[in-house]
């Protein structure tokens, strides 16, 4: 830090016209090199008049030592090559558009005697907060590359920018902008006609507002907080499908009373209905159970509409083209339905029932989040959820059924890992109790839960909510999707962003 005397107070505040005398003295000293950048009282007055909140000063002990000026423009005006003169209307600021979507920076300076206090960073933080408050798409501006003249004979601007990014070269402007989360959108020519140091090049810099919401004609804004309900289902004897759905509707009713957006049922929640087929072999009994699947789906669709809730139906057997699959349904509250399948079959499922693995790996758009569903064993294979993360998954639902704590621990630990590595929420729900009259379904162990990534905005241990182990109950919890957006950009670690795509890749094969 270059300031030698004691500092008592540092402040960032809005620029006032009466500040002009102090401001002009700072400008005069900073630009004593003969540069043509100098703001008149009329120009400053115009900026304050048209966009007062966009003009700020840095004040140290009542002395103005820094300034940041900005206007609002439309993205189409600045997304490609442009000049400083064009974007500022030859410094008349007639280009300012209160209905635009870009906060455009036209000036930032800090007096040389006060550099080292991170005043520029404070002013940039103010701009970012203003951008979010005004719901603007991004901050953009043209940035000089004043050290480029030292390397211009040996490299093009693209190589120079890359080497600055790698910290092999220091540039006082670009290095600072990159450290403040701006990225280089493109290289522009003749942005500032007298900028000999940059050899007439400039970088078009951009900081994206992750909270930006495009204008909409919808009367209801998109949800950012989503409420999920989990059913920790007690296995018990049922004589008919009506008996099963008496219990199902009880849970749907209870969870919807809490205004939940989703309800998740466990894997094979309808297994008690196999009791009537216990005299058959195991593979025959589950195929008899599969005959109810279409009716179960249709009943769930009606409940989703009636109770205004998105239902993830757990899973159940389905015979298709002679093969047996483990499938479930996303029944949206608007009446639409989607199917998901268990891709990986456990050795016991293959041996006892002759199940086949499905081929679907996809995410689903809903009215409040993009979701994925993995049935039990599938969550132990990280490739599936990573593919879903690449498709924008925000919440991963995992219906499961485990008989021992060993099996449950595999599902639980892997589910928590999926939340961290894919920067998403993971919701798991299982069954408890026992079915003495159903072969291969003797006893159940479960503790349903909602898991999160592990960072400052989330629970320290990554556990948002947990049910009581081995007890029939519902668990209702809220998850904040905005926290995921923040994590993707500003997280302590960024597992999705930091992947080495130059070294490895993950993709599905066409089937």
């Amino acid at each position: 830090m270059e300031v030698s005397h004691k500092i008592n107070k540092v402040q960032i505040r809005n620029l006032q016209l009466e500040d002009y005398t102090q401001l002009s003295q700072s400008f005069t000293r900073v630009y004593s090199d003969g540069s043509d950048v100098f703001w008149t009282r009329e120009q400053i007055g115009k900026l304050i008049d048209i966009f007062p909140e966009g003009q700020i000063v840095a004040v140290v002990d009542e002395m103005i030592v820094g300034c940041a000026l900005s206007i609002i423009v439309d993205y189409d005006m600045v997304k490609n090559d442009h000049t400083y003169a064009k974007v500022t209307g030859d410094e008349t600021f007639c280009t300012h558009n209160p209905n635009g979507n870009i906060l455009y920076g036209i000036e930032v300076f800090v007096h040389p005697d006060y550099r080292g206090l991170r005043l520029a960073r404070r002013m940039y933080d103010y701009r970012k907060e203003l951008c979010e408050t005004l719901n603007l798409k991004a901050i953009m501006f043209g940035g000089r590359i004043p050290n480029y003249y030292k390397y211009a004979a040996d490299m093009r601007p693209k190589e120079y920018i890359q080497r600055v990014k790698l910290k092999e070269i220091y540039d006082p402007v670009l290095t600072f902008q990159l450290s403040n989360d701006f990225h280089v959108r493109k290289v522009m020519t003749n942005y500032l006609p007298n900028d000999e140091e940059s050899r007439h090049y400039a970088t078009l810099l951009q900081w994206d507002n992750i909270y930006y919401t495009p204008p909409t004609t919808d009367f209801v804004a998109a949800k950012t907080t989503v409420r999920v309900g989990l059913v920790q289902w007690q296995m018990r004897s049922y004589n008919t499908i009506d008996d099963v759905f008496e219990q199902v509707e009880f849970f749907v009713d209870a969870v919807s009373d809490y205004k939940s957006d989703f309800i998740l049922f466990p894997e094979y929640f309808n297994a008690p209905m196999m009791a009537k087929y216990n005299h058959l072999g195991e593979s025959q009994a589950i195929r008899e159970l599969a005959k109810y699947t279409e009716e179960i789906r249709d009943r769930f669709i009606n409940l989703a509409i009636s109770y205004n809730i998105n239902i993830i139906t757990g899973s159940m057997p389905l015979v298709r083209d002679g093969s047996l699959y483990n499938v479930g349904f996303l029944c949206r509250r608007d009446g639409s339905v989607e199917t998901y399948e268990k891709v990986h079959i456990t050795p016991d499922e293959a041996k006892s029932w002759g199940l086949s693995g499905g081929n679907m790996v996809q995410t689903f758009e809903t009215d409040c989040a993009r979701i994925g569903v993995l049935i039990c064993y599938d969550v132990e294979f990280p490739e599936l959820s990573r593919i879903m993360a690449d498709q924008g998954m925000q919440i991963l639902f995992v219906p499961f059924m485990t008989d021992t704590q060993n099996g449950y621990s595999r599902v639980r630990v892997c589910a928590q890992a999926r939340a961290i590595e894919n920067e998403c929420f993971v919701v798991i729900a299982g069954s408890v109790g026992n079915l003495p009259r159903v072969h291969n379904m003797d006893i159940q162990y479960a503790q349903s839960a909602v898991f999160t990534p592990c960072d400052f905005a989330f629970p320290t241990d990554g556990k948002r909510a947990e049910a009581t182990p081995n007890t029939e109950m519902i668990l209702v919890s809220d998850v904040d999707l905005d926290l995921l957006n923040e994590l993707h950009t500003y997280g302590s670690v960024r597992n999705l962003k930091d992947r080495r795509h130059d070294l490895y890749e993950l993709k599905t094969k066409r089937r």
Side-chain angles (χ1 to χ4, degrees):
M1 186 173 71
E2 299 179 27
V3 178
S4 58
H5 58 277
K6 180 182 178 182
I7 292 175
N8 296 308
K9 184 179 180 181
V10 177
Q11 180 185 13
I12 303 295
R13 64 167 174 80
N14 287 111
L15 173 63
Q16 307 294 326
L17 190 57
E18 51 266 32
D19 296 326
Y20 182 76
T21 300
Q22 271 201 65
L23 192 66
S24 62
Q25 291 172 352
S26 292
F27 269 118
T28 301
R29 185 168 179 182
V30 172
Y31 298 118
S32 61
D33 59 355
S35 168
D36 61 355
V37 179
F38 183 84
W39 302 108
T40 67
R41 177 183 289 271
E42 289 71 23
Q43 289 173 318
I44 295 298
K46 176 71 175 294
L47 286 169
I48 294 173
D49 182 55
I50 63 174
F51 187 30
E53 61 267 53
Q55 325 311 324
I56 58 173
V57 289
V59 184
V60 177
D61 293 338
E62 308 304 323
M63 181 179 295
I64 295 175
V65 299
C67 179
L69 310 176
S70 56
I71 57 176
I72 297 175
V73 298
D74 192 74
Y75 179 67
D76 289 337
M77 179 183 183
V78 295
K79 65 182 180 181
N80 294 316
D81 282 347
H82 58 274
T83 64
Y84 186 81
K86 178 181 178 181
V87 78
T88 62
D90 290 322
E91 299 177 2
T92 65
F93 316 118
C94 61
T95 51
H96 174 70
N97 177 11
N99 298 316
N101 54 7
I102 298 296
L103 183 67
Y104 197 92
I106 58 176
E107 177 70 270
V108 171
F109 86 89
V110 175
H111 197 286
D113 292 346
Y114 289 84
R115 290 173 185 166
L117 295 176
R118 294 182 172 84
L119 298 177
R121 186 179 297 272
R122 292 194 190 200
M123 291 190 286
Y124 273 94
D125 287 344
Y126 173 91
R127 276 183 174 174
K128 292 174 182 178
E129 291 178 9
L130 180 62
C131 186
E132 293 171 1
T133 300
L134 298 179
N135 190 38
L136 300 176
K137 179 183 178 70
I139 301 172
M140 297 177 69
F141 53 85
R144 301 175 62 235
I145 43 177
N147 274 1
Y148 178 60
Y149 74 95
K150 300 177 183 178
Y151 304 89
D154 301 316
M155 63 184 73
R156 299 291 296 163
K158 179 179 179 181
E159 182 183 351
Y160 176 81
I161 292 168
Q162 183 62 28
R163 293 184 64 179
V164 172
K165 287 181 180 179
L166 296 174
K167 302 189 185 305
E168 296 174 0
I169 295 176
Y170 173 78
D171 185 281
V173 175
L174 182 56
T175 299
F176 172 78
Q177 307 296 358
L178 294 175
S179 72
N180 276 275
D181 300 315
F182 284 84
H183 63 272
V184 178
R185 179 180 172 85
K186 68 187 313 275
V187 175
M188 300 186 294
T189 56
N190 296 317
Y191 181 73
L192 288 171
N194 295 331
D195 187 8
E196 296 294 338
E197 289 182 322
S198 303
R199 291 296 187 262
H200 305 287
Y201 290 106
T203 56
L204 179 56
L205 291 153
Q206 182 169 330
W207 175 86
D208 296 308
N209 175 14
I210 62 174
Y211 302 112
Y212 172 67
T213 303
T216 177
T217 57
D218 295 339
F219 291 105
V220 180
K223 294 172 68 71
T224 59
T225 299
V226 177
R227 181 162 294 175
V228 296
L230 298 69
V231 177
Q232 191 155 282
W233 175 272
Q234 174 78 45
M235 290 294 194
R236 53 169 64 88
S237 297
Y238 298 102
N239 293 321
T240 67
I241 190 172
D242 290 332
D243 294 334
V244 173
F245 266 84
E246 182 180 22
Q247 191 67 20
V248 166
E249 185 166 2
F250 165 77
F251 282 122
V252 173
D253 188 6
V255 171
S256 67
D257 279 346
Y258 290 102
K259 308 300 181 185
S260 294
D261 297 292
F262 292 97
I263 181 171
L264 171 65
F265 285 87
E267 179 183 28
Y268 292 125
F269 75 94
N270 62 335
M273 294 175 61
M274 279 198 292
K276 67 173 67 176
Y277 307 112
N278 222 24
H279 62 286
L280 302 175
E282 293 171 357
S283 62
Q284 287 77 28
I286 198 168
R287 281 166 172 77
E288 290 297 321
L289 182 64
K291 294 178 180 179
Y292 294 96
T293 294
E294 289 188 6
E295 182 179 353
I296 289 174
R297 178 200 61 200
D298 293 342
R299 289 192 181 211
F300 268 121
I301 293 171
N302 290 333
L303 289 176
I305 296 170
S306 300
Y307 288 92
N308 190 31
I309 191 170
N310 300 300
I311 301 177
I312 299 160
T313 66
S315 77
M316 56 207 78
L318 175 72
V319 175
R320 186 176 63 233
D321 298 329
S323 296
L324 183 68
Y325 299 92
N326 184 356
V327 308
F329 305 98
L330 165 63
C331 300
R332 298 187 184 90
R333 49 186 156 200
D334 65 1
S336 60
V337 62
E338 305 269 9
T339 303
Y340 51 85
E341 301 177 346
K342 191 170 188 177
V343 175
H344 299 92
I345 302 304
T346 66
D348 184 67
E349 286 176 308
K351 177 182 177 182
S352 299
W353 294 334
L355 253 72
S356 299
N359 299 320
M360 294 183 181
V361 184
Q362 65 184 100
T363 57
F364 305 103
E365 195 65 54
T366 69
D367 55 6
C368 48
R370 179 172 284 275
I371 71 166
V373 185
L374 292 178
I375 302 174
C376 197
Y377 192 35
D378 279 343
V379 80
E380 299 174 31
F381 296 83
E383 298 89 347
L384 301 185
S385 56
R386 179 49 56 87
I387 291 168
M388 292 177 176
D390 284 338
Q391 296 174 6
M393 175 184 65
Q394 297 165 298
I395 307 174
L396 174 62
F397 290 93
V398 183
F400 71 91
M401 184 194 71
T402 51
D403 56 352
T404 66
Q405 284 186 269
N406 294 339
Y408 168 72
S409 294
R410 288 193 294 269
V411 171
R412 177 193 178 94
V413 173
C414 290
Q416 287 194 266
R418 303 298 86 87
I420 293 171
E421 67 197 15
N422 296 306
E423 298 178 349
C424 66
F425 296 105
V426 179
V427 181
I428 68 172
S431 299
V432 301
N434 58 80
L435 288 174
R437 295 180 54 228
V438 178
H439 292 312
N440 208 40
M441 289 280 187
D442 303 317
I443 198 163
Q444 317 297 319
Y445 182 92
Q447 183 182 20
S448 303
V450 178
F451 300 123
T452 74
C454 293
D455 214 317
F456 295 116
F458 302 92
T460 305
D461 57 3
K463 294 183 287 190
R464 180 70 179 84
E466 291 180 294
T468 303
N470 270 8
T471 302
E472 183 172 56
M473 63 178 292
I474 62 172
L475 183 66
V476 178
S477 180
D478 288 343
V479 295
D480 188 345
L481 303 183
D482 274 346
L483 293 181
L484 297 181
N485 293 334
E486 185 174 327
L487 178 70
H488 297 334
T489 307
Y490 303 117
S492 301
V493 294
R494 285 159 279 192
N495 297 82
L496 290 177
K497 186 176 181 180
D498 291 341
R499 285 175 294 167
R500 288 284 305 277
H501 292 294
D502 61 317
L503 187 63
Y504 54 82
E505 65 177 349
L506 177 65
K507 60 183 180 180
T508 57
K509 295 182 178 179
R510 295 187 178 275
R511 295 297 300 251

